[in-house]
Amino acid sequence: MRHFNGLTDSDLKTFFKHSPAEFNRDTERDTLSLALGAALYTPGSRVDFAQKILTGDYNNGVFAGLTTLIVCLEDAVADTELKQAEKNTVGEFKKLEQANAEQLIAGPALFLRVRTPEQLDQLVKNAGTALSVLTGIVFPKCSPVTLPSFFEALDRASEVAGRMLYALPLLETKEVLYSESREQTLSELYSIMQSQAERILTVRVGATDFSSLYGLRRPAERTIYDVHVIRDCLMAILNRFGRAEDGFTVSGPVYEHFSSGERLWLSSKPEETLWEEVQLDILNGFKGKTCIHPSQISIVNAGHIVTLEAYEDAKLILNESSKRNGVLQSAKRNKMNEVKPHLSWAKKIAAQAEVYGVLNENYQPIDVLNHIRASQVSNQY
């Protein structure tokens, strides 16, 4: 896999000084956690997701650029349809298990979102070694009580799958949101996750569930940061899990609005707001984002491309860090680079640049985004 795989070699040379690197589900954890990017959900009741993976449908058209697909057996599936969705999911995994390795590697990294540890155990019994097609399991509604049980179930799933499956804990409960319980809950969750850090690919957050606890829903023209009670909770989560020394990657919350995408990017209010929210996500320390529609994929991923100016500053700091500290003049002569306080930032930028690429001078991420959309529109005619 590689981000922006829909671009031609000529496009890559035009826009990128350093093209995005290839990766797969066996890439080392720190890089893979950044590479997840726009993570698209699909319900476990979808009868053709295995075929779409194997035929490359998830690599082309509106899905171009997708590197992370999450099969959901939780909120995306009605309670009355759950048994059939579980049966369908197991059957689709078995189809994927029978495919050749090249087909699986070419497709997006596959994850499963379950409801409970008990459900995961039942799926282990029914799917058996077919769970080997997965990269990890999303743990919903994590609490200090349920999280250890999820990790125990993950151990059993990994043993049957014959490979280590990553954990993607999802924080979305009232104990995390409500201020009177937040600090204690996050402290307990942090303690558990720190002991399991090498098995955690990303920490995820559920802004929709948080909003529902107050009966709130943001309109299309507002980012989640405009909903202050949710914003405060997101900042508390980043304060606990976003610290440079811990090495956790925290993924941004879903934006539930989308448009038909018949025009250039940012020509509709949902696309404009999502683009703004992605910038705020990255500014505050989130990496990647949960998506609910394929039109969101390119917007999220393009927001993570590194500009040449940021990359040059980061490399300057990294190159000098082993020799000296103090203040360095930036290549653009427009900012102060301090080796000690900016070193953690520089390391993160260098890692992000490897996965998402570095632009040529005079290009911005929005230029790549508009080119991708223009190509998609032209291919419709």
Side-chain angles (χ1 to χ4, degrees):
M1 293 182 289
R2 187 189 67 191
H3 280 294
F4 315 112
N5 58 11
L7 296 179
T8 66
D9 289 342
S10 177
D11 293 334
L12 291 171
K13 290 179 181 178
T14 297
F15 290 110
F16 288 91
K17 183 177 181 66
H18 301 295
S19 295
E22 292 188 357
F23 61 93
N24 58 53
R25 64 179 186 164
D26 294 319
T27 297
E28 59 93 17
R29 168 182 165 266
D30 290 347
T31 300
L32 184 59
S33 67
L34 280 175
L36 294 189
L40 184 68
Y41 273 86
T42 191
S45 54
R46 190 180 194 104
V47 297
D48 62 347
F49 72 77
Q51 181 181 5
K52 290 173 74 69
I53 291 172
L54 297 177
T55 58
D57 288 356
Y58 279 126
N59 298 336
N60 300 298
V62 294
F63 294 101
L66 178 65
T67 59
T68 304
L69 183 66
I70 302 175
V71 178
C72 183
L73 289 172
E74 207 222 359
D75 290 342
V77 175
D79 294 342
T80 55
E81 300 174 355
L82 181 58
K83 291 300 180 184
Q84 181 56 37
E86 290 175 338
K87 182 179 179 181
N88 178 72
T89 297
V90 169
E92 295 295 285
F93 286 170
K94 288 182 177 179
K95 292 177 186 176
L96 293 172
E97 184 185 24
Q98 298 303 313
N100 63 62
E102 288 74 17
Q103 286 177 295
L104 290 178
I105 291 174
L110 190 63
F111 298 85
L112 175 66
R113 180 180 178 180
V114 295
R115 297 190 177 198
T116 64
E118 293 76 20
Q119 184 190 40
L120 179 54
D121 279 332
Q122 187 59 50
L123 290 167
V124 168
K125 292 179 181 178
N126 294 337
T129 57
L131 290 181
S132 63
V133 303
L134 293 173
T135 300
I137 306 291
V138 179
F139 302 162
K141 298 177 175 58
C142 287
S143 73
V145 174
T146 62
L147 191 53
S149 296
F150 270 120
F151 276 112
E152 291 168 5
L154 184 68
D155 285 337
R156 295 186 284 271
S158 296
E159 183 177 0
V160 171
R163 60 178 290 116
M164 187 190 77
L165 300 177
Y166 283 110
L168 291 78
L170 178 53
L171 308 183
E172 53 185 348
T173 64
K174 63 182 181 181
E175 291 80 10
V176 174
L177 178 61
Y178 295 165
S179 60
E180 64 269 24
S181 57
R182 181 184 303 152
E183 184 176 350
Q184 179 65 28
T185 301
L186 287 177
S187 178
E188 293 176 6
L189 287 169
Y190 173 80
S191 180
I192 296 169
M193 290 192 210
Q194 193 178 42
S195 69
Q196 304 282 349
E198 291 304 312
R199 304 174 66 194
I200 296 175
L201 195 55
T202 61
V203 178
R204 310 191 77 83
V205 294
T208 302
D209 280 55
F210 283 152
S211 298
S212 73
L213 290 167
Y214 283 98
L216 301 174
R217 187 176 189 181
R218 53 185 163 141
E221 67 272 13
R222 294 288 188 176
T223 74
I224 195 63
Y225 299 94
D226 294 318
V227 187
H228 290 193
V229 70
I230 310 302
R231 178 201 63 191
D232 291 348
C233 180
L234 296 178
M235 294 306 101
I237 291 171
L238 283 174
N239 180 56
R240 180 64 68 169
F241 292 97
R243 301 174 187 182
E245 66 266 22
D246 290 329
F248 289 115
T249 297
V250 189
S251 180
V254 70
Y255 174 75
E256 67 233 47
H257 300 278
F258 57 89
S259 63
S260 60
E262 295 175 351
R263 297 170 289 175
L264 293 181
W265 290 122
L266 311 190
S267 62
S268 71
K269 183 53 68 174
E271 290 165 352
E272 179 183 340
T273 306
L274 175 57
W275 180 249
E276 179 184 356
E277 185 166 296
V278 170
Q279 311 310 305
L280 291 170
D281 285 345
I282 297 170
L283 178 64
N284 284 286
F286 289 116
K287 291 293 187 292
K289 196 173 185 67
T290 299
C291 294
I292 46 83
H293 191 270
S295 65
Q296 298 178 335
I297 296 168
S298 294
I299 298 177
V300 172
N301 289 339
H304 288 76
I305 304 173
V306 176
T307 63
L308 182 59
E309 182 174 344
Y311 181 74
E312 288 180 339
D313 284 334
K315 294 299 288 184
L316 175 64
I317 293 166
L318 290 170
N319 290 339
E320 294 296 323
S321 63
S322 61
K323 307 172 188 174
R324 62 190 177 98
N325 50 40
V327 178
L328 304 171
Q329 184 171 260
S330 67
K332 289 288 186 181
R333 299 177 180 270
N334 61 0
K335 70 179 70 65
M336 176 180 66
N337 289 324
E338 292 189 79
V339 174
K340 282 187 176 180
H342 289 144
L343 184 57
S344 293
W345 169 84
K347 290 177 180 178
K348 288 188 174 184
I349 288 294
Q352 188 175 327
E354 180 181 358
V355 172
Y356 293 95
V358 178
L359 291 172
N360 281 317
E361 192 167 11
N362 299 323
Y363 282 106
Q364 295 295 319
I366 190 64
D367 298 318
V368 178
L369 183 57
N370 274 324
H371 179 81
I372 291 171
R373 183 56 188 147
S375 297
Q376 290 176 337
V377 170
S378 66
N379 289 335
Q380 294 174 1
Y381 299 99

